[in-house]
Each structure stands twice: as structure tokens, then as C-alpha cells.
Amino acid sequence: MSKSYWRSAKIRSIGLAGLICLALFMLPQAVLFAGSGSYMGFSYALIILVVIAPLFFLAITLLKISLLRRLDRSHDIDEEDRLQRRAHPKIMRAFPVDGTENNEFHWPLGVNPNFNDSSSSDDQNDPKNPNKSPERVEGQKQ
Amino acid sequence: MRVKILKGFILGTIVLLCFLGVLERLGLSVDLVARLLFALVLVCILFAGARARSLHTLNIFVDGYRMTPLPNGMAMAIIAIGAVGYSYWPGDVYARQLNGLIMPLGVIGGLALMAALFTPHLRREGILTPIEFLLQRFNSKLLVLFVSLISIIVVLLLILAQISIFSDLARRYTTVPPESALLVVLVATVLPLVLGGMRAASWLQMTMAVLAALGFLLPLAWLAFDLTGLPLPHLNAGSALEATKLLQEDAILRGFATSADTSWLEQLSANRLSAGLSLLGIAIGISALPPLLARTQTTRSAKESDVSMGWAIVILLGFVVTMPLYAVFMRLHLTELLTGLNVNSMSDSAGFLFEIKSGLKLCGSVIATPQDAIDACGSGHRLIVSDLDIPAASFIAIFPALAAGVGAAMPETISAMLACGALAAMIAILSACIITLAHILAFDLYAKLLTRSAPMNRIVFFVRVSVGPIIMAIYWLITDPLFDPFRLPPQTMMALALALTAGGLFPVYVMGFWMRSLGWFSAIVASLAGSGLTLYLAALLNGLVKGGVLHKGMIVLPLLGDVLPLAVAGLAGAGLGLGVGILFGVLTPNRKPKAQTAKEQTAKA
């Protein structure tokens, strides 16, 4: 992960947070500017506060999810296993040509980074951690 | 899997409600209906406990990192709303009109802010509690101790605020003393947590979110159906508002009202600057709230953590869109009922107002009997709707009573469902707060501060055992008369919790995630400065400290009510904390990263 790459993600995240703060602060101003008209019986102020403002915050959250998927380092953890396999060809032994996954050849050896069995996720006896622990991620980085 | 179970649960609850409604029409007593609904909540709790029992460490702390986005979003939304939001916010919109929307909007903005600043980054760390992240990042036991103490105070304030609505519910719907009912609810909430930790809390919050949503929607749907034949209140609310306006214009023509009474729910009456600052303060408080931060950890990946925030905002959007409709329909029916009514004959047609006994004001005075009303307004006074002030806390009592006397009387099953939803919201947020407290005590304080070598099974044991003393402490705080002088209204306690979070926790998390060059000392100074200023302003606003600075100052006193100034106090605390922290960081640069770099270089060599 290059420094400029991470910096770009950081700037965008903080920028979006700043936009949210600005929107919150300016919301009463927007209500005042909306005037005293009404639409279908509801005043403009009510429509702004109840519909438009929450939709705006939802849109920013969705924008953040989609915009930062490529840039934000936090999302890359999901991609990290794939990148690791690409960087270390021997890990590909975990996925032979016939498509049967071999847990023994995952990197680090014996740890399956893709284990994410949602169908049995409610089995209380399942001791597996389907995601990454910090130790394992560190191991992969090594 | 969970979504399938939730679908079945929703369907089963609706079928049960229809069944109860039919039984009520056939003569089943109201008391029995209320008991059956209470039993429904208890069955949900037992189901959660049975379903979630586990000994696995990850299940106890983060639900095994298995939550899918939609259920996680539901759980986050019900924690963010809580029992206070469920029971007070609609009444707040009625009482303070558009100013009552500031708190819910601040909550939505806070979730968006949390998604932008903290959520995926915290989940990426793969830690068990948010405070563990601070320990990893700053490597300071002192900071962890300080942040843990602030988190404990915040969570206790949240719990006390939520529970204080319970006595009203218990008095109206049961004959059991409120203290005993509270003890039953606390024990029932804690039982699944002992069995399954965070996993049980997830199941509890999901099922309770469904009950709360049904309880919130059904009464409105019934009223809309009664008025227009369509159970879609959102489509009818516009015409209800116009009908209210017409009734009030008619009252003006008849000489009862003035033109000022016709404008309702049209403009913010708050000072714009103060309303904006309050929104910001509430949002900052919500963005670092410990139970919500803990909930962001339970998803399967950082990306799903983000998506669950999106779902939480969608659910809150639905709540905020629906919430003012209660105020609209209440206003319509009260206008119909009261306009032109002689105060001497109030006990005949509006007698239910005297039965509620929850601080209603008529003509500016609190009324409890018909004679009080005559004394307050004068004999023969013709009433208008604005003569009656309904405090936000009375909404949960007054709405069912009002709806029972309108058109085809609302079945008690449906009106009791509103109270059942409030109880469900309370149990959901209680479970989140209690498990967060247990994690802080057993993991952050015991395992990370006192002993670094505790085996995981012992820590899990402590988490399960610590919930017992926690509920005993809560019960003691609620019932002991010793604490009566310190008790604040629920909304004020909520605002104080949010302000303390904004002042004491927000700067530390921001510095932890976004200012990697700053060290633990800056973080402690930031948290101390932020929480200190917030507490000072809070004490000043509640009259505990004498001081004239803010009375002559710009931002605090022109605000509304008693809730929002605290939000601004939190904002001021967050600003000061961040500023002081950055200043200390610049003056005393952190040397640890350099040492680590040298170590790494040696290792590489």
C-alpha cells in the first residue's frame, strides 16, 4: 500500500466527515431558506427535515461505501487474501485446476483465509473464526 | 439463516396479534391481552438465550464476526433509537414541533459520521472491544483506564435514562409494583447475556427491533385505516394536517382562537446557530457511543460493517418519517375534541386527560382534576388546542387513550402493542449497554490492565459473571432514595451521556484513527480537557456550579429546552479536546514510532 494511496483514502474519508458536519450545521439554515410553502399538505421545512436531510446522510454513507471501496485501506482487507495469492504463486496450490479447495496449502500453511461458512454460521459449536485475526494478517504480510 | 428466522418471527408475531385482536373482540379481558403481549416479549428473550448459548470467546465478544449487514443494521438502529427515542421523540415533535426533530436528525447524522470516520477502520483491526484498539494504538494503560471510566459512566447514564420510562409503562399496564416489574425485566434481559454474551445480545436486539417496529407502525396504521379506509398513514397525514388547519381557521372565525394558532409544524422556532451546533454536538456524541462502536465489530468484514451502517440509517429514516405522523394525528384529534369545548364540561368528553396524570398543563397550569382545569382557565372558558400542553413523556400514555375514543375504538391489543414496542426497545438497548459494561470490566480493565496473562476462558467466565453485579448496581441506583436528588429527566440523561461521549471519547478515537503521529499523552490530555469542559458546562447548566461566563456568553443560554445545551457542551468539549490534544502532540512529538522503526530496521537487517 503506497503512502499516496493511503493518503488519498484518508483525505476522502475526512472530507466526507467534514461534509456531514457542514450539512448538520447548515441544516437549520436550509430550513429557513426553504420558505413557508407546502407540498401535499406538508410544509417545506418538514419535508427537508424528515425526508431530504436523512436521505442526504444515507446518500453520503452509500457514496462513501462505493467511493472508498477501491481506495480505503480498510476495505482491502477483504481483498488481501487474493492479493497475497497473486504475490505468492505457491499459495495457488490451495486452488488446484480441478477447483477443489485444499486447506492445507493456504498461506500461512493450514489456515484457510476464505473460510466464511455463512450457511452454518449459526452453529454454536463452530469454533472457526471466519474472518481474519490480526495475527493471521500479519502472518500473511510476512 | 438469521434473516430466514427473522422472517418467520415477523410472520408469527403478526399472526399472534391478529389472533389476540380476534380474541379481544370475542371478550378477552384487556388485562389478559397485556399479559400475553408481555409473555411474547419474554418468549423472545428466552428464544434468544436458547438460540445463542455459547462458550466460544468470539461469540461472547463479537458474535463470532458473523452478523450479516441487515440484522446488524437493525440492531444498531434500535440501539440508536432506544426506549427514550421510541417513547419521547413523537411527543417531542408534538410539543416542540420541528425543534423536536433535532435529536433524531442528530442521531442519523451521527451514524453517518461514524460510518465515515470509524466503522470500517475499527472492524479492520480485528479487535474484541473498541478500547482494545486504543490499547494497541497508544500502548498506554493509563489512557485505557481513563477511557474505560468515561465509557462506564456514559453507559450507566444511558441505562438509567432508558429505565426511567419503565415505571410509567408498568403502572399503566400491570398491577405489579414497578420495582418488582423492573427486577423481572432486568433479570430476563441478563439471562440470555449470561448464556451467550454478544451473540445473545444480537438475537435480542434483532427480535426486539422487529417488535418495536410493529408496535410503532400498527397504531398509526389502524388510525389511518379508521379515517380513510387505507392503512397507510403516510398518505393520509397531509390531509390530516390540512383538516387540522381548517378546524383552527373555523375556530378563528368563531372567535375562540387567534391566527397564531393555525401555524403548526411549519418552521423551526430555534435559534439557527444554536440548532446547528446542537445537531453537530448530538451527531458527534452518537458517532463514538460505546454500545454502537461495539456493535460495528460484529460483522463479517469491514465492508459489511459499512453496509450495516447504511441499513441502520435506512431504518432510522423510516422511523423519522413515521414519527411526526403521531404528532399530526394527535393534533387532529385533540383539535376536534377541544376546540370550542367549555372547560366546565371537559370531564364529560375529555375525561381521559384527567386519568393520565402525567403532568398535562392546561392554560399554563398542571391539571389533575376537572376543578384544576376550571381554576386554571376560568369558569366557562372555551378551549382551543393550544391551551393544552402535553409533555413529551406523556405521549406513550396519551396516544392510546386518545385513539381509544376516536371513531371505531382502537383495540387494546394494538394500543398495548405500542407499550410492548417501548418495552422491546428498552430491552434491546439494555442488553447492548450491559454487555458493553461487562466487556469493559472483564476484558479491558481486568484482562488488559490488571493481568496480561489471564487465560481466555477465565475472561469469558468473568464476562458472564459480571452481568450479575451490574444489574444489582443498576437496580440499586434506580430504587435507592439516596440517589433521588441526583436523578435527571431521561432526555437530559441521554443528552449528558452523548455530551460526555463527544467530549471525552470522540477526540481519543479521532486521534487514534486519523492522527497516527500523536502519542498516548496527547490522547489523555485531549480526553481530560474535553470531558472536563463538558462536565463543567453540564454542571453550570444544571445549576450545580455557579458561574457567569456562559450566562453572558454566546452559545449556551439562547438554546432550547434543557436537552440541547448539553449537546452544545459536548461539542465544545470535543473541540477543546481535539485542539488541546493536537497542540500537545505538536509540542511533545511521539517518539515511539521512531523506536519501532529502528527495531524494525534491525530486524530486517
mmCIF file of all heavy atoms in Angstrom, chain B residues 37 48 59 65 67 82 87 91 98 103 148 153 161 263 282-283 341 345 367 410 427 578 580:
data_model
loop_
_atom_site.group_PDB
_atom_site.id
_atom_site.type_symbol
_atom_site.label_atom_id
_atom_site.label_comp_id
_atom_site.label_asym_id
_atom_site.label_seq_id
_atom_site.Cartn_x
_atom_site.Cartn_y
_atom_site.Cartn_z
ATOM 1 N N LEU B 37 -49.068 -10.155 25.690
ATOM 2 C CA LEU B 37 -48.040 -9.431 24.941
ATOM 3 C C LEU B 37 -46.728 -9.387 25.724
ATOM 4 O O LEU B 37 -45.644 -9.500 25.161
ATOM 5 C CB LEU B 37 -48.516 -8.011 24.626
ATOM 6 C CG LEU B 37 -49.506 -7.931 23.468
ATOM 7 C CD1 LEU B 37 -50.020 -6.529 23.289
ATOM 8 C CD2 LEU B 37 -48.851 -8.397 22.168
ATOM 9 N N ALA B 48 -33.962 -16.051 22.374
ATOM 10 C CA ALA B 48 -32.621 -15.515 22.112
ATOM 11 C C ALA B 48 -31.588 -16.237 22.962
ATOM 12 O O ALA B 48 -30.508 -16.595 22.487
ATOM 13 C CB ALA B 48 -32.594 -14.013 22.390
ATOM 14 N N ASN B 59 -17.796 -15.580 20.136
ATOM 15 C CA ASN B 59 -19.240 -15.383 20.252
ATOM 16 C C ASN B 59 -19.576 -14.467 21.420
ATOM 17 O O ASN B 59 -20.485 -13.641 21.347
ATOM 18 C CB ASN B 59 -19.954 -16.722 20.454
ATOM 19 C CG ASN B 59 -19.983 -17.527 19.180
ATOM 20 O OD1 ASN B 59 -19.845 -16.972 18.104
ATOM 21 N ND2 ASN B 59 -20.135 -18.828 19.299
ATOM 22 N N TYR B 65 -17.923 -12.634 14.754
ATOM 23 C CA TYR B 65 -17.757 -11.895 13.485
ATOM 24 C C TYR B 65 -18.687 -12.483 12.420
ATOM 25 O O TYR B 65 -18.264 -12.734 11.300
ATOM 26 C CB TYR B 65 -16.309 -11.986 12.977
ATOM 27 C CG TYR B 65 -15.276 -11.328 13.847
ATOM 28 C CD1 TYR B 65 -14.161 -12.028 14.278
ATOM 29 C CD2 TYR B 65 -15.388 -10.002 14.215
ATOM 30 C CE1 TYR B 65 -13.194 -11.427 15.067
ATOM 31 C CE2 TYR B 65 -14.431 -9.396 15.006
ATOM 32 C CZ TYR B 65 -13.333 -10.110 15.426
ATOM 33 O OH TYR B 65 -12.387 -9.513 16.199
ATOM 34 N N MET B 67 -22.282 -11.470 11.992
ATOM 35 C CA MET B 67 -23.537 -10.769 11.692
ATOM 36 C C MET B 67 -23.559 -10.322 10.233
ATOM 37 O O MET B 67 -22.591 -9.735 9.745
ATOM 38 C CB MET B 67 -23.676 -9.540 12.587
ATOM 39 C CG MET B 67 -24.057 -9.850 14.007
ATOM 40 S SD MET B 67 -25.787 -10.261 14.190
ATOM 41 C CE MET B 67 -26.499 -8.655 14.420
ATOM 42 N N GLY B 82 -33.463 3.564 20.962
ATOM 43 C CA GLY B 82 -33.632 3.296 22.388
ATOM 44 C C GLY B 82 -35.056 3.533 22.856
ATOM 45 O O GLY B 82 -35.929 3.969 22.087
ATOM 46 N N SER B 87 -40.263 6.433 22.979
ATOM 47 C CA SER B 87 -41.369 6.939 23.788
ATOM 48 C C SER B 87 -41.453 8.453 23.817
ATOM 49 O O SER B 87 -42.501 8.996 24.119
ATOM 50 C CB SER B 87 -41.234 6.488 25.237
ATOM 51 O OG SER B 87 -40.742 5.221 25.329
ATOM 52 N N GLY B 91 -43.705 12.544 20.977
ATOM 53 C CA GLY B 91 -44.291 13.557 21.857
ATOM 54 C C GLY B 91 -43.522 14.864 21.786
ATOM 55 O O GLY B 91 -44.096 15.946 21.899
ATOM 56 N N LEU B 98 -41.131 21.367 15.030
ATOM 57 C CA LEU B 98 -39.950 20.946 14.267
ATOM 58 C C LEU B 98 -38.689 20.899 15.124
ATOM 59 O O LEU B 98 -37.742 20.196 14.799
ATOM 60 C CB LEU B 98 -39.730 21.868 13.063
ATOM 61 C CG LEU B 98 -40.808 21.807 11.983
ATOM 62 C CD1 LEU B 98 -40.396 22.637 10.780
ATOM 63 C CD2 LEU B 98 -41.090 20.387 11.555
ATOM 64 N N MET B 103 -33.104 16.131 17.667
ATOM 65 C CA MET B 103 -32.438 14.963 18.270
ATOM 66 C C MET B 103 -32.373 13.774 17.287
ATOM 67 O O MET B 103 -31.280 13.244 17.034
ATOM 68 C CB MET B 103 -33.177 14.591 19.557
ATOM 69 C CG MET B 103 -32.503 13.527 20.369
ATOM 70 S SD MET B 103 -31.103 14.215 21.248
ATOM 71 C CE MET B 103 -30.643 12.840 22.259
ATOM 72 N N SER B 148 -11.917 3.839 29.814
ATOM 73 C CA SER B 148 -12.865 2.851 30.353
ATOM 74 C C SER B 148 -13.787 3.508 31.374
ATOM 75 O O SER B 148 -14.998 3.248 31.379
ATOM 76 C CB SER B 148 -12.124 1.700 31.027
ATOM 77 O OG SER B 148 -11.299 1.063 30.114
ATOM 78 N N ILE B 153 -19.258 5.450 32.753
ATOM 79 C CA ILE B 153 -20.206 6.500 33.162
ATOM 80 C C ILE B 153 -21.243 6.728 32.059
ATOM 81 O O ILE B 153 -22.444 6.829 32.316
ATOM 82 C CB ILE B 153 -19.446 7.813 33.466
ATOM 83 C CG1 ILE B 153 -18.549 7.607 34.685
ATOM 84 C CG2 ILE B 153 -20.414 8.954 33.730
ATOM 85 C CD1 ILE B 153 -17.603 8.750 34.945
ATOM 86 N N ALA B 161 -31.256 6.375 31.896
ATOM 87 C CA ALA B 161 -32.226 7.120 31.089
ATOM 88 C C ALA B 161 -33.292 6.186 30.521
ATOM 89 O O ALA B 161 -34.484 6.498 30.536
ATOM 90 C CB ALA B 161 -31.506 7.839 29.949
ATOM 91 N N SER B 263 -50.665 28.131 12.579
ATOM 92 C CA SER B 263 -49.389 27.624 12.053
ATOM 93 C C SER B 263 -48.809 26.612 13.022
ATOM 94 O O SER B 263 -48.557 26.920 14.184
ATOM 95 C CB SER B 263 -48.430 28.784 11.807
ATOM 96 O OG SER B 263 -47.632 29.022 12.910
ATOM 97 N N ILE B 282 -24.888 16.484 18.963
ATOM 98 C CA ILE B 282 -25.540 15.181 19.113
ATOM 99 C C ILE B 282 -24.877 14.162 18.189
ATOM 100 O O ILE B 282 -24.598 13.021 18.572
ATOM 101 C CB ILE B 282 -27.053 15.298 18.798
ATOM 102 C CG1 ILE B 282 -27.738 16.170 19.849
ATOM 103 C CG2 ILE B 282 -27.714 13.930 18.763
ATOM 104 C CD1 ILE B 282 -29.126 16.623 19.463
ATOM 105 N N ALA B 283 -24.611 14.585 16.939
ATOM 106 C CA ALA B 283 -24.011 13.663 15.966
ATOM 107 C C ALA B 283 -22.634 13.197 16.432
ATOM 108 O O ALA B 283 -22.300 12.004 16.339
ATOM 109 C CB ALA B 283 -23.910 14.336 14.604
ATOM 110 N N LEU B 341 -64.708 23.660 23.222
ATOM 111 C CA LEU B 341 -65.258 22.916 24.361
ATOM 112 C C LEU B 341 -65.243 23.797 25.609
ATOM 113 O O LEU B 341 -64.239 24.443 25.909
ATOM 114 C CB LEU B 341 -64.406 21.656 24.593
ATOM 115 C CG LEU B 341 -64.846 20.732 25.717
ATOM 116 C CD1 LEU B 341 -66.123 19.998 25.349
ATOM 117 C CD2 LEU B 341 -63.750 19.701 26.019
ATOM 118 N N SER B 345 -67.340 21.495 31.048
ATOM 119 C CA SER B 345 -67.828 20.167 30.636
ATOM 120 C C SER B 345 -66.688 19.287 30.123
ATOM 121 O O SER B 345 -66.910 18.326 29.410
ATOM 122 C CB SER B 345 -68.896 20.314 29.553
ATOM 123 O OG SER B 345 -68.360 21.035 28.478
ATOM 124 N N ILE B 367 -52.743 20.143 35.499
ATOM 125 C CA ILE B 367 -54.108 19.753 35.891
ATOM 126 C C ILE B 367 -54.133 18.281 36.288
ATOM 127 O O ILE B 367 -53.481 17.450 35.676
ATOM 128 C CB ILE B 367 -55.135 20.007 34.765
ATOM 129 C CG1 ILE B 367 -54.685 19.305 33.467
ATOM 130 C CG2 ILE B 367 -55.342 21.481 34.546
ATOM 131 C CD1 ILE B 367 -55.785 19.197 32.443
ATOM 132 N N MET B 410 -59.820 1.996 19.007
ATOM 133 C CA MET B 410 -58.656 1.145 18.709
ATOM 134 C C MET B 410 -58.622 -0.033 19.670
ATOM 135 O O MET B 410 -58.783 0.153 20.886
ATOM 136 C CB MET B 410 -57.380 1.971 18.863
ATOM 137 C CG MET B 410 -56.128 1.185 18.531
ATOM 138 S SD MET B 410 -54.641 2.139 18.853
ATOM 139 C CE MET B 410 -54.692 3.300 17.548
ATOM 140 N N ILE B 427 -35.441 -3.158 26.271
ATOM 141 C CA ILE B 427 -34.662 -4.385 26.477
ATOM 142 C C ILE B 427 -33.488 -4.443 25.502
ATOM 143 O O ILE B 427 -32.375 -4.854 25.866
ATOM 144 C CB ILE B 427 -35.585 -5.613 26.330
ATOM 145 C CG1 ILE B 427 -36.505 -5.672 27.544
ATOM 146 C CG2 ILE B 427 -34.791 -6.904 26.214
ATOM 147 C CD1 ILE B 427 -37.577 -6.716 27.452
ATOM 148 N N LEU B 578 -9.893 18.059 21.019
ATOM 149 C CA LEU B 578 -9.095 17.849 19.802
ATOM 150 C C LEU B 578 -8.005 18.915 19.681
ATOM 151 O O LEU B 578 -6.850 18.604 19.374
ATOM 152 C CB LEU B 578 -9.999 17.897 18.574
ATOM 153 C CG LEU B 578 -10.651 16.577 18.169
ATOM 154 C CD1 LEU B 578 -11.570 16.778 16.986
ATOM 155 C CD2 LEU B 578 -9.581 15.549 17.817
ATOM 156 N N VAL B 580 -6.580 20.788 22.059
ATOM 157 C CA VAL B 580 -5.524 20.644 23.060
ATOM 158 C C VAL B 580 -4.665 19.411 22.755
ATOM 159 O O VAL B 580 -3.435 19.448 22.880
ATOM 160 C CB VAL B 580 -6.163 20.539 24.474
ATOM 161 C CG1 VAL B 580 -5.142 20.141 25.502
ATOM 162 C CG2 VAL B 580 -6.769 21.872 24.850
#
